[in-house]
Amino acid sequence: MRDPYKILGVKRDAGQDEIKAAWRNMAKAVHPDHNQGDPTASARFAEIGRAYEMLKDPKKRSLFDNAARMAEAKANENTIMQQRQAAREAAARAKAAQANAERVMEELARVAAQKAAADAAKQRKTGTAEPPEEMIERIFGTQARAAAGGGRAQGFAAAGASKRPEAETASADKQPDAANAEAEQQAAEDATTQASAVMQPLSLLTSLVRRFTGGSAAAPEKAPDQFVTKTVTVDEVIKGSWVSVDLGEGRDAGFALAAGTTEGHQIRLKGQGHKLAGLQRGDAVVSIHIASDERFTVNGFDLHTVLPVTIENAVLGTEARIEGPNGPVTVTIPAWSGSDKTIQIQGQGLANTDGGRGDLVVELRIMLWEKPDDKVTDLMRSMKNGLFL
C-alpha cells in the first residue's frame, strides 16, 4: 500500500479532524457514481478508504509511522555507507595517480642525469662542448629550452663577471700552467651552467605534475549532510525568534528565523552535521515545520483565519474585530456574503525575502443560532416552497 498520508494529501502530524475532512473531500471527488466514465475511479475510491481506515485508528497509524521511520533511517544509513565507500575509492585513486606521477618524474630525472653524464664524458674525450640550449632542446624540446634560457644567461653572466677581474690583472706573458688552470675553470663553469639548464625544466615539469594531481595531499572528503526537522510556532516565525535544534549525540545548534521562513523552508548550518572518521564534518540541513495554531493556518507567506458570521450579518453586512498576528484588526464584511467569501488584509502575513509580507486571509463561515428560531424557520420554509408572506 502507498503512503496513506500522500494518498489523502495531509502531513504526518495532521489531526484527526483534518484527516477526516481530507478523506471526505477526496472520496466525494473520486466516487464512482460521479465518475462513471473513469474505469479507475473504483480503485482510487477503495485506496482512499483504506488510507483513511489506517490513519483514523491510532494503533494502526502508530505502527505505520514507526515502520516508516525505521525505513527512512535504514535508507539514510545505506546512503551514508555508500558515500563513505565512494570517498575511500576516490582517495585511493588520487593516491595511485600521485604515486604514478612521482615514479614518472623519478624516471625522467634518472634518464636525464644519465644522458647529461654521458654527454659530458663524450665532450671531455672529443674536446668539443655542446651548447647548453642545444642539449636542452634535444632532451626536453623547445619549451624546456625557453624555460632554461634565463638560467643559462645568468650562468654565463656570472662566469663573465668572475673572469673580468682576471683579464684586467693578467700579464701579457702569462705562463702555460696559468693558461691550463683558466681552461679547467672555464670547463667547470660550463658544466655548472649545463647542469642548471637541465634541472630547471625538470623542476618545471615536477610543478606541473603536482598541480595536475592536486598537490601532495588531497583534502579529505566531506561527510554527507544531516537532515533534521525543527518545529516552530507561528509567533516565533512572526517575531524572527532565535531557536535551537537537537542534532543528536548531545549536540544542538541555534539559528534565527530570518525573513523568508515558512513551512518547508530549509536552513543549512555549515560544519554542524555528521562526523565520520577520515572525513570532514558535513552540514546540518534543518527543515522548518510550523506547528498547528488555533488562530492561523500557514499557506506560503499568507496566514488564513476563519471568522464565524451569523445569517443576519452575512445578509446585511457588518464589521467585526478579529485577532491578527500583530494585534486586533477590524474587518468589514460586505452585505450578502456567503461562506465562500474571503477578505484579504495586505501586509499582515509572514515576512518574505523581498522585504514585504504576505496577507492575512479571512475566510467567512455562516453559523446558525444555537437554538432554532421559529420566524427564520417559517421564512425558509416559505422560500423553499415558493410561498411569500
Side-chain angles (χ1 to χ4, degrees):
M1 179 181 176
R2 294 194 301 126
D3 189 340
Y5 294 101
K6 293 182 178 179
I7 294 174
L8 296 181
V10 296
K11 298 175 183 176
R12 291 189 179 274
D13 61 346
Q16 287 297 327
D17 292 340
E18 184 179 352
I19 292 174
K20 186 174 183 180
W23 166 70
R24 284 181 174 177
N25 293 334
M26 296 190 68
K28 183 178 179 181
V30 302
H31 197 283
D33 293 344
H34 303 299
N35 299 271
Q36 296 183 1
D38 185 358
T40 64
S42 298
R44 289 188 293 152
F45 182 77
E47 184 181 43
I48 292 171
R50 289 194 298 270
Y52 177 62
E53 288 295 327
M54 175 173 289
L55 296 184
K56 77 174 184 179
D57 187 337
K59 185 177 294 186
K60 292 181 180 179
R61 182 178 180 181
S62 177
L63 291 174
F64 176 83
D65 291 342
N66 291 335
R69 282 192 291 268
M70 292 179 61
E72 291 174 358
K74 185 65 175 178
N76 292 336
E77 181 181 356
N78 292 338
T79 300
I80 292 174
M81 297 302 296
Q82 291 173 0
Q83 292 179 350
R84 292 184 63 184
Q85 180 63 24
R88 287 194 293 267
E89 293 176 356
R93 288 194 297 269
K95 186 175 181 180
Q98 180 182 350
N100 291 336
E102 291 178 353
R103 284 196 295 270
V104 171
M105 288 303 304
E106 292 175 358
E107 184 65 18
L108 287 174
R110 185 182 64 79
V111 172
Q114 292 177 353
K115 187 66 175 176
D119 291 344
K122 181 178 180 181
Q123 291 170 11
R124 285 196 298 270
K125 290 181 181 180
T126 60
T128 60
E130 181 182 16
E133 62 272 13
E134 294 182 4
M135 181 181 66
I136 294 173
E137 182 177 354
R138 172 170 51 80
I139 297 176
F140 295 101
T142 56
Q143 291 182 351
R145 174 186 176 185
R152 185 182 63 84
Q154 292 177 0
F156 285 160
S162 64
K163 288 194 298 182
R164 275 194 291 272
E166 297 177 4
E168 292 175 357
T169 58
S171 60
D173 54 349
K174 185 181 292 185
Q175 297 298 325
D177 54 344
N180 293 336
E182 183 178 359
E184 292 177 358
Q185 182 179 359
Q186 180 64 37
E189 292 174 352
D190 291 343
T192 301
T193 303
Q194 291 180 0
S196 176
V198 169
M199 294 308 296
Q200 283 195 13
L202 282 176
S203 177
L204 176 63
L205 185 57
T206 301
S207 299
L208 291 175
V209 171
R210 289 189 180 277
R211 179 174 296 181
F212 177 77
T213 58
S216 58
E221 295 291 333
K222 191 167 120 180
D225 294 337
Q226 178 181 357
F227 292 90
V228 294
T229 299
K230 174 61 180 178
T231 300
V232 298
T233 64
V234 173
D235 289 333
E236 287 176 331
V237 177
I238 293 173
K239 296 176 182 178
S241 301
W242 182 270
V243 298
S244 62
V245 60
D246 183 11
L247 299 177
E249 301 176 353
R251 299 183 300 114
D252 57 3
F255 56 92
L257 298 174
T261 301
T262 186
E263 177 67 27
H265 179 70
Q266 288 189 336
I267 299 172
R268 180 174 292 273
L269 304 178
K270 296 288 187 180
Q272 298 289 329
H274 294 297
K275 177 61 177 176
L276 302 177
L279 301 177
Q280 291 184 359
R281 186 181 288 277
D283 300 339
V285 180
V286 183
S287 297
I288 298 298
H289 170 61
I290 302 178
S292 300
D293 191 280
E294 295 180 354
R295 303 162 298 164
F296 309 111
T297 302
V298 179
N299 184 8
F301 295 105
D302 294 337
L303 296 177
H304 289 241
T305 187
V306 176
L307 175 59
V309 181
T310 59
I311 294 177
E312 67 271 22
N313 288 334
V315 173
L316 302 177
T318 187
E319 287 188 351
R321 290 286 276 183
I322 65 170
E323 186 66 25
N326 300 311
V329 178
T330 300
V331 179
T332 300
I333 302 172
W336 211 254
S337 296
S339 288
D340 58 345
K341 177 71 176 179
T342 59
I343 301 173
Q344 284 188 293
I345 303 176
Q346 297 183 351
Q348 290 286 326
L350 303 181
N352 56 36
T353 55
D354 298 330
R357 286 183 173 274
D359 299 336
L360 175 61
V361 181
V362 182
E363 302 175 0
L364 303 183
R365 293 290 184 271
I366 297 179
M367 307 295 292
L368 296 175
W369 296 283
E370 293 182 3
K371 296 181 179 180
D373 186 282
D374 294 337
K375 293 181 181 180
V376 174
T377 303
D378 291 340
L379 176 60
M380 295 298 107
R381 184 180 294 113
S382 299
M383 295 179 63
K384 180 178 179 182
N385 297 327
L387 300 177
F388 299 92
L389 301 177

